[in-house]
Amino acid sequence: DTVFNDVRRTILYTLGNFAADAAQVDTVKANKDIYLGEAKAAFEALQKDPGKQYADAARQGLTSVLRVMGDTTAIHNACKDQVANPSAYSFLALVQCGVMLNDSKDLPNATKLFQAATTINPYHRDGLFNFALMQIGNGDALFDAARADTNKLNWAKAAESMAQYQDAVKTINRLVA
């Protein structure tokens, strides 16, 4: 029974990857949609019963398929648990969802996940690079906000924005060090 479940999980994982790969090389749109639907179904089934070794693989496969499909609502749904409780997830799961949310233009949640990932592994270049990119994007807005708050004589808000901007610079310096 246990062996059967392990074999079923391996087959679902293999089918999901095979269908996702087929969708990327097939030039007929109708075929791509069929392959992506099959890949999505396989990864969703695997996600319901990942066993001990397929939780990250199922999550990664599903979010990758959703990304290719362009389904931003489903991506947000797939990553909602990581956003709600990042400390419960692995570095890989946080970075994967962070990339997907960034591609979906959800910069605040992508930033949150990359920050959590760098907390788990503060020296991993992928985590630092993505977190720095988020901070640069947010940093420009923070710098502009600080300038606007200074012009309005809102010193406390300007100081807060500048502190966040300086944190972004520190992350970038860690990346290039």
Side-chain angles (χ1 to χ4, degrees):
D1 196 34
T2 303
V3 172
F4 173 76
N5 287 333
D6 288 342
V7 169
R8 184 182 52 74
R9 289 179 191 114
T10 301
I11 290 170
L12 284 171
Y13 176 71
T14 303
L15 288 174
N17 281 322
F18 182 77
D21 290 347
Q24 290 184 5
V25 296
D26 200 316
T27 57
V28 178
K29 170 117 175 70
N31 292 346
K32 283 182 181 269
D33 293 341
I34 292 169
Y35 289 135
L36 289 172
E38 292 296 324
K40 182 180 174 195
F43 288 124
E44 286 174 336
L46 183 58
Q47 200 169 34
K48 289 177 184 171
D49 180 26
K52 294 179 181 174
Q53 65 187 34
Y54 286 107
D56 281 341
R59 199 170 17 259
Q60 182 179 5
L62 180 60
T63 55
S64 294
V65 169
L66 296 173
R67 180 182 188 191
V68 172
M69 293 173 91
D71 191 344
T72 57
T73 302
I75 289 171
H76 281 91
N77 190 44
C79 294
K80 72 177 184 224
D81 293 337
Q82 288 90 326
V83 171
N85 186 13
S87 62
Y89 289 89
S90 69
F91 176 85
L92 177 63
L94 295 172
V95 170
Q96 179 71 27
C97 272
V99 168
M100 297 302 147
L101 292 173
N102 179 46
D103 288 348
S104 300
K105 307 298 182 221
D106 185 352
L107 299 184
N109 284 325
T111 302
K112 179 180 179 179
L113 295 182
F114 290 131
Q115 183 174 19
T118 60
T119 300
I120 293 170
N121 191 343
Y123 302 104
H124 196 286
R125 295 195 69 77
D126 288 343
L128 282 173
F129 178 77
N130 284 298
F131 186 41
L133 285 177
M134 295 295 95
Q135 287 187 308
I136 290 168
N138 295 334
D140 291 341
L142 290 169
F143 190 77
D144 291 341
R147 185 176 318 151
D149 289 331
T150 301
N151 291 339
K152 295 176 190 172
L153 301 178
N154 186 348
W155 302 112
K157 185 69 176 156
E160 179 184 323
S161 294
M162 281 308 294
Q164 290 173 331
Y165 183 76
Q166 289 167 346
D167 286 344
V169 171
K170 287 178 190 173
T171 300
I172 294 164
N173 287 337
R174 278 183 28 215
L175 176 64
V176 297

